[in-house]
Amino acid sequence: MTHPISRRRALGLGLLGAGSLGLGLAGVASSGFRSGPSAANASGGAPAASWSEPTVLASSDGVLTFDLTISETTVDVAGTSARMLAYNGTVPGPTLHLRPGDTLRVRLVNRLDQPTNLHTHGLVVSAEGNGDNPFVSVEPGESFDYEISLPRDHPHGVFWYHPHRHGLVADQVFGGLYGAIVVDEEDWSQRPPRVVVVSDVTLSGGAVASVSAAERRQGRVGEVVLANGLVAPPLAVPPGGTERLLIVNACVSRYLDLGGLAMTVRGLDSGSFVPPRTVDRLVLAPGNRADVLVEGPERPTSLVARAYERGAGGMGMMGASVEESDATILTLVPDAGASRSAVAPAKSPPSDLRDVDIDRARTLTFTMGMGGGMTFLIDGRPFDPDRVDQTVDIGTVEEWTLANATMMNHPFHLHIWPMQLVDHDGVDTRDVVDVPPGRSVRVRIAFDRFPGRTVYHCHILDHEDLGMMGVVQAT
Ligand code: C2O
Ligand code: CU
Ligand code: CU
């Protein structure tokens, strides 16, 4: 059941309280969408905003140097304006366009009243020092200079960035902190691909609504689904042409069960499918990305995300059910004069680990406990940044069995090293692997480089904040 929106409180993030802006339910309703479990993204009559994409920051001569400032600010979002957390003032933040071999020099400037940090999700880079280090904490008012170097053989694909400060990740991502990263060798100056950053949020009183403890346990779902910060935007495309969409699931907990049109999937996460797979349904767990081709239709056709069943959490123990409903992501609108997206050549697949001899096998089990309230654990333990849970040797290939002993889905994410699904036709390599309730999934991982310490966790970010995370040390 949904709560009356007027009872929602603004997040305890230094965001404005619900009563302080004078923009209550009426203001939200007139902005073009209504809230409620059966009406997510329904049109309230206002014209849909036209398509737009985040600003692109592209590297040149092998480097991309920029400041990434996080502040709480008023942004245009969901056809209205709202107080959100923003990277450089926009939701989503800028898209970073990089090439293999590039170095990213980012000064993260924290203008929030709480700590944060930066994670480059899916990049195959060092997690040490001022690299993609999830243990860094950038305190309020401080800044931190990251230097993240992509190897020359870094996979092409779509990746993303978001905060990773344990305990605050779900609130900060829900608040608006996410942006895309695209790694390829293409020149985007004429025709870029279409970047589609999908997120969800609940706005109340001109700010981001707070969520209850029960919603955190379940994994919060926002009432409105956004594509590049817009509700169901129209995308003008030439009929019969081929469009390339790079889709990021930046939702805190929502699975995107995509359908409504035929999609040719060229790859998920850092992996690629050779040959590509034509499907009419594609499920992206939180954190997953997809590189898909779609055909320009003869009449307006929507890409939709259907409500996805991801486990009730067990006999009402969670105290909340998932408030989820179908949502329109975007609508392809035929327009013979529209420009086309660029379609980069397909890339070769990652090497196949199914035939190699593995050096070690281990099992990691998602568990939940009842000690002092419901706990979210891996192998019976909550996250402890000072404990190493798995030690792996650089140069080895391991097989991990990801087991789920709970009644909810948990999407497993490992930083730095991609995972190949073992029980699968063809090569399917990802960095977020969904593990349904009561099931287990086998993956193989080549720990081929980057000694250091990093994390693996459930990418339902509420669960990660509640402790469903572990530490891996590669030596
Ligand atoms: Cu997208 Cu450890 O996170
Ligand atoms: Cu990550
Ligand atoms: Cu989980």
Side-chain angles (χ1 to χ4, degrees), residues 163-230:
H164 217 292
R165 177 60 168 69
H166 180 63
L168 299 169
V169 181
D171 282 348
Q172 292 185 357
V173 171
F174 201 60
L177 297 177
Y178 36 82
I181 302 172
V182 183
V183 179
D184 66 21
E185 303 272 9
E186 304 303 305
D187 173 6
W188 287 17
S189 57
Q190 303 302 318
R191 295 194 306 165
R194 310 271 188 198
V195 172
V196 187
V197 179
V198 181
S199 59
D200 65 354
V201 71
T202 303
L203 298 176
S204 174
V208 178
S210 66
V211 298
S212 66
E215 286 172 284
R216 289 175 197 271
R217 291 193 295 269
Q218 187 71 56
R220 73 187 71 187
V221 177
E223 287 175 346
V224 61
V225 177
L226 305 172
N228 298 339
L230 307 168

Side-chain angles (χ1 to χ4, degrees), residues 27-361:
V28 174
S30 66
S31 70
F33 68 89
R34 292 177 290 135
S35 61
S38 60
N41 291 7
S43 167
S50 59
W51 180 257
S52 79
E53 287 173 48
T55 309
V56 175
L57 301 178
S59 65
S60 64
D61 298 328
V63 261
L64 176 58
T65 305
F66 67 106
D67 282 7
L68 192 61
T69 301
I70 304 182
S71 63
E72 183 203 329
T73 185
T74 300
V75 296
D76 291 329
V77 68
T80 185
S81 61
R83 297 289 286 177
M84 290 188 72
L85 308 183
Y87 285 121
N88 291 356
T90 63
V91 174
T95 293
L96 315 182
H97 182 203
L98 304 173
R99 291 167 195 274
D102 279 354
T103 296
L104 190 56
R105 291 205 180 96
V106 188
R107 170 163 294 179
L108 188 77
V109 181
N110 181 7
R111 297 230 173 96
L112 303 178
D113 60 6
Q114 57 184 276
T116 188
N117 67 9
L118 181 70
H119 170 48
T120 51
H121 179 129
L123 290 190
V124 180
V125 294
S126 171
E128 291 282 272
N130 62 346
D132 179 27
N133 183 344
F135 301 101
V136 163
S137 183
V138 184
E139 299 306 310
E142 294 190 349
S143 64
F144 188 84
D145 292 327
Y146 286 92
E147 182 168 306
I148 295 170
S149 296
L150 280 62
R152 295 221 165 267
D153 64 345
H154 193 285
H156 292 191
V158 54
F159 306 89
W160 63 300
Y161 60 94
H162 62 79
H164 217 292
R165 177 60 168 69
H166 180 63
L168 299 169
V169 181
D171 282 348
Q172 292 185 357
V173 171
F174 201 60
L177 297 177
Y178 36 82
I181 302 172
V182 183
V183 179
D184 66 21
E185 303 272 9
E186 304 303 305
D187 173 6
W188 287 17
S189 57
Q190 303 302 318
R191 295 194 306 165
R194 310 271 188 198
V195 172
V196 187
V197 179
V198 181
S199 59
D200 65 354
V201 71
T202 303
L203 298 176
S204 174
V208 178
S210 66
V211 298
S212 66
E215 286 172 284
R216 289 175 197 271
R217 291 193 295 269
Q218 187 71 56
R220 73 187 71 187
V221 177
E223 287 175 346
V224 61
V225 177
L226 305 172
N228 298 339
L230 307 168
V231 179
L235 172 56
V237 298
T242 299
E243 293 293 310
R244 182 180 183 214
L245 307 178
L246 302 177
I247 304 169
V248 179
N249 184 358
C251 298
V252 170
S253 314
R254 184 189 285 263
Y255 284 60
L256 298 175
D257 187 352
L258 299 174
L261 42 81
M263 294 166 277
T264 300
V265 186
R266 308 209 303 170
L268 289 184
D269 299 350
S270 64
S272 66
F273 297 154
V274 180
R277 300 177 188 168
T278 299
V279 297
D280 54 19
R281 181 180 180 206
L282 173 64
V283 177
L284 299 183
N288 278 140
R289 293 87 59 208
D291 177 350
V292 305
L293 304 182
V294 297
E295 189 180 320
E298 300 293 337
R299 65 183 70 82
T301 305
S302 293
L303 175 65
V304 298
R306 302 208 170 86
Y308 190 76
E309 177 55 55
R310 57 183 168 88
M315 320 301 181
M317 281 193 304
M318 310 299 292
S321 60
V322 177
E323 303 167 15
E324 219 172 297
S325 57
D326 295 358
T328 299
I329 306 293
L330 55 83
T331 301
L332 299 175
V333 178
D335 176 349
S339 61
R340 292 184 173 181
S341 69
V343 178
K347 58 179 179 168
S348 49
S351 58
D352 192 346
L353 301 175
R354 286 173 299 180
D355 298 327
V356 308
D357 293 329
I358 58 166
D359 297 288
R360 179 163 176 178

Side-chain angles (χ1 to χ4, degrees), residues 121 160 162 251-253 286-287 410-413 432 457-461:
H121 179 129
W160 63 300
H162 62 79
C251 298
V252 170
S253 314
H410 300 290
F412 181 87
H413 173 49
V432 178
H457 56 91
C458 176
H459 216 289
I460 288 178
L461 296 172

Side-chain angles (χ1 to χ4, degrees), residues 360-443:
R360 179 163 176 178
R362 55 183 101 202
T363 299
L364 281 69
T365 307
F366 287 117
T367 55
M368 285 163 64
M370 290 302 293
M374 187 162 286
T375 53
F376 287 78
L377 313 167
I378 296 177
D379 295 329
R381 299 186 293 263
F383 176 63
D384 177 350
D386 298 320
R387 182 189 68 225
V388 172
D389 297 286
Q390 318 292 339
T391 303
V392 302
D393 292 323
I394 294 294
T396 63
V397 174
E398 296 206 1
E399 182 168 291
W400 288 16
T401 299
L402 311 172
N404 184 350
T406 79
M407 299 180 76
M408 317 170 71
N409 291 64
H410 300 290
F412 181 87
H413 173 49
L414 172 64
H415 286 208
I416 313 300
W417 304 278
M419 301 173 278
Q420 182 182 346
L421 297 174
V422 175
D423 302 301
H424 220 274
D425 290 339
V427 180
D428 189 333
T429 301
R430 312 179 176 193
D431 54 58
V432 178
V433 173
D434 185 42
V435 189
R439 301 263 294 277
S440 61
V441 176
R442 285 194 301 157
V443 298

